[in-house]
Structure formats: structure tokens, C-alpha cells
Amino acid sequence: MTTIDTITDEIRTLSDEAGAHGDLEMVAICTRALAGDAAAIAECVRVIESAEAPEGAVAYKYADPTEDACWLYSEDDVRDIEREDPSLIVRVECSRS
């Protein structure tokens, strides 16, 4: 069940992830959402809820200077990338109910 505390935490996480990857527009939206802006909250919820991993994916790799962003399907691939730069990896989590 989504509660105000859960969605606030998720918006903070979304803002942190966006900021870490240079998406200043999303950071601004999240900031407005955390201040109570209803339209911004709705946009954050839309982004959070649309972030579904494809079947079989174990992690998502952000783009780096040599490769585009992509889904990873192998733990070996995840470990290889994590050894080089763990900040590029976001592991797939079970969806909330």
C-alpha cells in the first residue's frame, strides 16, 4: 500500500537518482512535489509507477561515456560493471503491492 510517507520517500529517491545523473528538470519537479505541489506530485508518481523492469532483467545500467543505458540480464555482467563503477547500476527490486 502506498502511503504519504512511502511516496515521499520514493520522490526523494527519484530526486536523488535524477540529480546523480544530471536530470535537473526532474530534480526541480521533485522539489516542487516535496513542497506539496499537486501537479508535481502527480508527475513524480507517474514516473515512479512507469519504471518497470523487463522480464528477466536483474539491473539497469545508466549510460556512461562509452555505452548507452541498458537493462542487464546477467549477474556476471552486473558484477563486472560494479567493479568498474557501482554508481552505474540500479538493481531490480520487487514491485510494491
Side-chain angles (χ1 to χ4, degrees):
M1 178 171 92
T2 301
T3 66
I4 191 65
D5 290 334
T6 302
I7 199 62
T8 299
D9 289 345
E10 290 181 6
I11 292 170
R12 283 191 184 111
T13 299
L14 175 60
S15 181
D16 291 346
E17 292 287 329
H21 294 91
D23 188 347
L24 301 181
E25 181 180 355
M26 190 75 244
V27 171
I29 293 168
C30 292
T31 300
R32 290 194 311 270
L34 292 168
D37 181 297
I41 293 168
E43 177 61 9
C44 289
V45 169
R46 184 195 68 74
V47 169
I48 291 164
E49 290 181 346
S50 69
E52 292 184 27
E55 185 73 29
V58 294
Y60 182 78
K61 184 191 114 6
Y62 288 108
D64 65 40
T66 62
E67 292 182 309
D68 290 335
C70 64
W71 289 101
L72 301 173
Y73 296 87
S74 159
E75 285 292 337
D76 290 337
D77 291 342
V78 172
R79 281 189 291 275
D80 289 345
I81 295 166
E82 283 180 328
R83 275 193 289 269
E84 292 180 33
D85 187 351
S87 71
L88 292 175
I89 299 295
V90 178
R91 290 193 171 268
V92 172
E93 296 180 8
C94 296
S95 60
R96 58 184 191 270
S97 49

